[in-house]
Amino acid sequence: MQRTLFNFHFRLSTFMWIAIAVLTTNIAQAQESVVRDWNEAMLNAIRNDLARPNVHARNLYHFTEGIYHLQLSTEGGAMGTMLSEVESWPDNPEALIAIQNDETNFDHAVAAFGYRFIQLRYAQSPGWSFTLSDLVSAFIGSTNSTPSALLNSSPAAAWGWACAEAIDSAYQLDGSNQINNYDNTCYEAVNDPLDVTEDATCTDPVEFPNRWQPLSFGGSFVDQSGNETFEDVIPFSGANWGNVMPFALDPANATYAERDGCTYPVYLDPGPPVLLGESSETQYEWQAGFAHVAVWQTHLSINDSVVIDISPRACGNINAYPSNPDYLYGIEEGGDFGTGYALNPVTGMPYPAQEVLRGDYTRVLAEFWADGPDSETPPGHWFTILNGVTEHPQFDWKWEGKGESLPPNAYLARAYRLLGGTMHDAAIAAWSVKGYYDFVRPITAIRYMLSKGQSTLPGVPSYDSEGVPLIEGVFELVAEGDPILETEPEALGTVKTYRWLAGDAGSDGEFGWTTGCAWRPFQMPTFVTPPFAGYVSGHSTYSRAAADALSFATGSRYFPGGVGAFEVEANSFLAFESGPSEPFELQWATYQDAADQCALSRIWGGIHPPMDDIRGRGMGVQVAQLAIAQFQEEMEQVFTPVICPEDIDGNGNVGTSDLLALLAKYGEDCD
């Protein structure tokens, strides 16, 4: 594996904007924190690895588990309370005393843990040379020493190193198939691959249009992270991920379903997607859902003249997700029906309007949330958001927004642990659904419908009940006088599609009418859609789960200052093509608003229909509820003080007040 020259330069430029996407109005100087530093080292390792968000979510979970326990040891917390799977957690009283009594020793332990854990999980990554260089620099920065020198002189460092090995070893058999590079244990695609290197001729439609179709890239594939793999067909990544040991999800509550000779644990089952050919009603919904994607793609055109307000005064503030997508999405205008906010709850002032071209806004969204080359992938992206929040000058280091402010290490260890567990379970839940239902992506579904013709006008030669619905400006019949007939006279009466024509960087957003079946999403030419089933959207599940976790950790739904923002520069932000035409800011009042925007970006980007999105968001809500409850329970186990049983009123003393408290309860019903 190697990085192409194009993707190497793309990697560097993308890294810059991803790394600074801290999503705040003003960025303060970050408080020193070894926990924060090694979280960044972990994110860099992800940026240099393959695009496999489920794997990275698992690694982040295990990484944050170790860091959290190292931090607990400095606070007198009960070590090992959560490490039920780590039976060989190293027992080193000398090291424990050292990190409790000396901050330098704690830095040594965290640095050694981080270095060794990342080495164990990412030494085989295609960008390992980048990662190793980052690790050495981070280690020296944290300890003023090299790993080999420090391990021989610092019991704390040796203990941190041993802790990393213990965690990695403990989870080798957690159902992920780590020892075999996370290969699927039981799954075979039912459809032949789609060759995306050639324009579709409409002569060979997919055999099973409700099922996922792998893609063929002609022997060389540059993945979402910018890594070139010399493979023709990329297999389903994580088809059996429902077998992985979760954080808070209960395997006893999963649905165990059989398909194609494989057993799939399905968590938080949202029910099956609507299917083509099952009934007239579901067929209509199937066709309408994927046509919705094609409609929204037209909003990305540089010729789209619609101007919209993208500020919190006009966007966001959705309090419930309806089961019927028709009641959430603006199909023609795009976006959802969020009412926005009259006032900034922090400042008490109205949010200023921000009017931008819809074509600029939608293209930026598609790329910003795509988590493409050199990104942290969706689960890691939310760690960058959390880091940006804690760097805001108005951020208060109070856990849940209550009590006294915590030191940065203590706060971040808790927050990372919660977010890590949440992202891990979001991956398990979403991929358990993806694996079992094995549902089709838009690139396959839309091409299939185009291969059939149109489904609106019976009696017309191009009619087929499984064709595309005719939609003005999107899917139309080629009529007499159509300019297409000048070069394709045989196209009279067939369906034409208004679509994105580009595919190479710097293409400048070209849209136009074409015949045939070569519709494609707004994505990199070498990565037109992720290598796993669509239903449900992983982005939607991750993002909504993360948003609720951040709300809990910070004690507020709102970004510090009442607004999070990311500055977008004109004609330099987009990587797939030039643009946007004007500078603007992506803005969100709440973490949930950011998550909702992320979910919408996947429809505009051509990766998911609304059905994948809305059910993924609903699953994200459930994942967060379970993860937060689990974390609260663990916190109570770790930090609940042991009091004398005679101290009835819990004031730390035994005296008259306890007697009075006892007498006050005398005679009450014990039920």
Side-chain angles (χ1 to χ4, degrees):
M1 301 178 192
Q2 65 181 28
R3 297 177 184 274
T4 65
L5 179 61
F6 167 77
N7 280 284
F8 176 73
H9 290 296
F10 185 70
R11 186 183 78 86
L12 294 178
S13 62
T14 307
F15 172 80
M16 292 178 65
W17 66 260
I18 290 176
I20 64 173
V22 293
L23 316 179
T24 55
T25 318
N26 299 294
I27 306 299
Q29 182 70 33
Q31 297 195 41
E32 291 187 6
S33 166
V34 69
V35 171
R36 168 71 171 84
D37 292 343
W38 281 94
N39 174 259
E40 187 61 33
M42 180 67 182
L43 295 176
N44 277 335
I46 296 173
R47 294 168 186 139
N48 294 325
D49 192 36
L50 300 168
R52 41 187 185 179
N54 53 315
V55 173
H56 299 315
R58 172 181 178 267
N59 289 345
L60 282 164
Y61 166 56
H62 296 162
F63 180 83
T64 58
E65 181 177 43
I67 294 292
Y68 181 45
H69 277 80
L70 292 176
Q71 174 61 38
L72 284 183
S73 68
T74 71
E75 302 180 51
M79 289 294 297
T81 300
M82 298 180 302
L83 292 173
S84 58
E85 312 306 328
V86 187
E87 298 177 355
S88 60
W89 186 261
D91 183 17
N92 190 327
E94 181 183 359
L96 184 61
I97 294 172
I99 67 173
Q100 286 178 332
N101 296 327
D102 189 283
E103 185 176 341
T104 299
N105 285 317
F106 176 70
D107 292 351
H108 292 175
V110 171
F113 173 88
Y115 187 100
R116 183 55 174 158
F117 181 89
I118 294 170
Q119 183 184 55
L120 288 167
R121 292 293 173 89
Y122 290 98
Q124 303 303 313
S125 67
W128 174 243
S129 60
F130 295 101
T131 300
L132 182 58
S133 177
D134 292 338
L135 289 182
V136 172
S137 297
F139 196 95
I140 294 173
S142 299
T143 67
N144 293 316
S145 180
T146 63
S148 58
L150 194 66
L151 290 172
N152 293 323
S153 61
S154 170
W159 188 50
W161 189 279
C163 291
E165 293 184 336
I167 285 184
D168 179 66
S169 175
Y171 290 105
Q172 288 282 332
L173 301 177
D174 69 342
S176 66
N177 203 17
Q178 177 185 336
I179 59 176
N180 293 311
N181 198 32
Y182 311 101
D183 287 345
N184 297 323
T185 54
C186 185
Y187 174 87
E188 293 289 338
V190 298
N191 285 312
D192 293 332
L194 169 65
D195 188 347
V196 296
T197 64
E198 301 178 356
D199 285 347
T201 61
C202 299
T203 59
D204 190 24
V206 67
E207 184 175 2
F208 301 99
N210 288 313
R211 302 285 294 276
W212 179 73
Q213 183 180 32
L215 304 180
S216 171
F217 292 88
S220 178
F221 168 69
V222 181
D223 77 356
Q224 189 174 2
S225 292
N227 302 295
E228 186 171 8
T229 303
F230 294 97
E231 297 181 49
D232 182 25
V233 178
I234 308 303
F236 192 130
S237 177
N240 307 119
W241 209 251
N243 292 312
V244 177
M245 182 187 304
F247 167 58
L249 298 171
D250 186 354
N253 293 332
T255 301
Y256 290 83
E258 297 284 335
R259 186 167 201 170
D260 301 334
C262 301
T263 300
Y264 294 90
V266 182
Y267 288 94
L268 310 176
D269 189 356
V274 296
L275 301 177
L276 182 71
E278 186 176 60
S279 68
S280 59
E281 183 180 354
T282 62
Q283 177 157 312
Y284 171 79
E285 292 181 25
W286 191 98
Q287 292 167 295
F290 287 108
H292 185 136
V293 177
V295 172
W296 277 29
Q297 185 180 91
T298 67
H299 300 165
L300 279 66
S301 172
I302 59 173
N303 297 318
D304 184 269
S305 59
V306 176
V307 176
I308 58 176
D309 184 359
I310 64 169
S311 71
R313 73 182 253 168
C315 299
N317 198 18
I318 297 174
N319 296 315
Y321 298 136
S323 57
N324 188 336
D326 292 345
Y327 294 102
L328 179 68
Y329 304 94
I331 296 178
E332 294 184 3
E333 65 272 29
D336 52 37
F337 297 143
T339 59
Y341 304 83
L343 299 173
N344 181 319
V346 177
T347 65
M349 301 294 293
Y351 287 104
Q354 187 183 193
E355 295 187 339
V356 303
L357 287 168
R358 182 173 62 180
D360 280 344
Y361 174 67
T362 53
R363 286 184 296 151
V364 166
L365 283 194
E367 286 202 26
F368 178 80
W369 291 109
D371 295 316
D374 242 9
S375 80
E376 310 84 2
T377 70
H381 195 154
W382 282 91
F383 277 81
T384 71
I385 293 175
L386 169 60
N387 289 336
V389 167
T390 63
E391 292 167 358
H392 193 282
Q394 296 183 33
F395 178 72
D396 196 338
W397 296 86
K398 296 178 179 178
W399 185 250
E400 297 183 60
K402 305 173 184 176
E404 297 184 358
S405 296
L406 296 174
N409 280 339
Y411 185 95
L412 290 172
R414 288 165 169 77
Y416 290 157
R417 166 63 175 170
L418 172 60
L419 186 57
T422 304
M423 295 295 89
H424 179 58
D425 279 7
I428 292 173
W431 262 254
S432 75
V433 173
K434 289 177 181 289
Y436 173 62
Y437 289 111
D438 195 36
F439 194 57
V440 62
R441 290 276 188 174
I443 189 171
T444 296
I446 294 174
R447 290 188 179 207
Y448 178 83
M449 289 191 291
L450 287 170
S451 76
K452 295 294 187 179
Q454 55 86 18
S455 59
T456 303
L457 299 176
V460 174
S462 59
Y463 175 78
D464 190 290
S465 63
E466 295 186 348
V468 295
L470 294 177
I471 302 171
E472 185 178 358
V474 184
F475 300 122
E476 299 180 1
L477 291 177
V478 179
E480 292 284 356
D482 196 305
I484 286 178
L485 296 175
E486 297 177 5
T487 56
E488 301 178 59
E490 72 282 0
L492 182 65
T494 63
V495 177
K496 64 177 182 179
T497 309
Y498 190 71
R499 66 177 182 88
W500 187 51
L501 301 177
D504 298 318
S507 59
D508 296 328
E510 298 174 5
F511 272 70
W513 289 99
T514 65
T515 59
C517 304
W519 185 93
R520 55 164 295 169
F522 180 78
Q523 298 292 321
M524 296 164 48
T526 59
F527 189 83
V528 293
T529 197
F532 37 80
Y535 181 81
V536 294
S537 168
H539 276 67
S540 298
T541 310
Y542 282 128
S543 295
R544 181 53 202 244
D548 288 359
L550 265 61
S551 293
F552 174 80
T554 62
S556 174
R557 299 177 66 244
Y558 293 92
F559 280 89
V563 62
F566 175 77
E567 185 175 343
V568 179
E569 296 183 6
N571 295 314
S572 64
F573 177 81
L574 296 181
F576 304 161
E577 57 190 39
S578 63
S581 63
E582 301 282 345
F584 61 89
E585 286 185 341
L586 297 178
Q587 297 177 333
W588 317 273
T590 70
Y591 305 115
Q592 289 74 20
D593 294 339
D596 289 338
Q597 187 192 78
C598 173
L600 295 176
S601 78
R602 304 303 278 171
I603 304 176
W604 270 309
I607 303 302
H608 291 285
M611 178 172 50
D612 295 358
D613 166 34
I614 194 65
R615 295 190 183 179
R617 293 198 226 184
M619 290 177 66
V621 172
Q622 298 178 73
V623 167
Q625 291 172 343
L626 293 170
I628 291 168
Q630 175 70 16
F631 188 77
Q632 286 179 300
E633 181 180 344
E634 292 176 348
M635 290 279 288
E636 291 174 359
Q637 293 175 353
V638 171
F639 291 108
T640 299
V642 178
I643 62 174
C644 173
E646 289 81 13
D647 182 15
I648 299 173
D649 61 3
N651 68 355
N653 298 303
V654 177
T656 304
S657 62
D658 298 296
L659 178 60
L660 294 174
L662 177 63
L663 292 173
K665 297 289 184 180
Y666 186 77
E668 289 188 2
D669 191 343
C670 294
D671 294 338

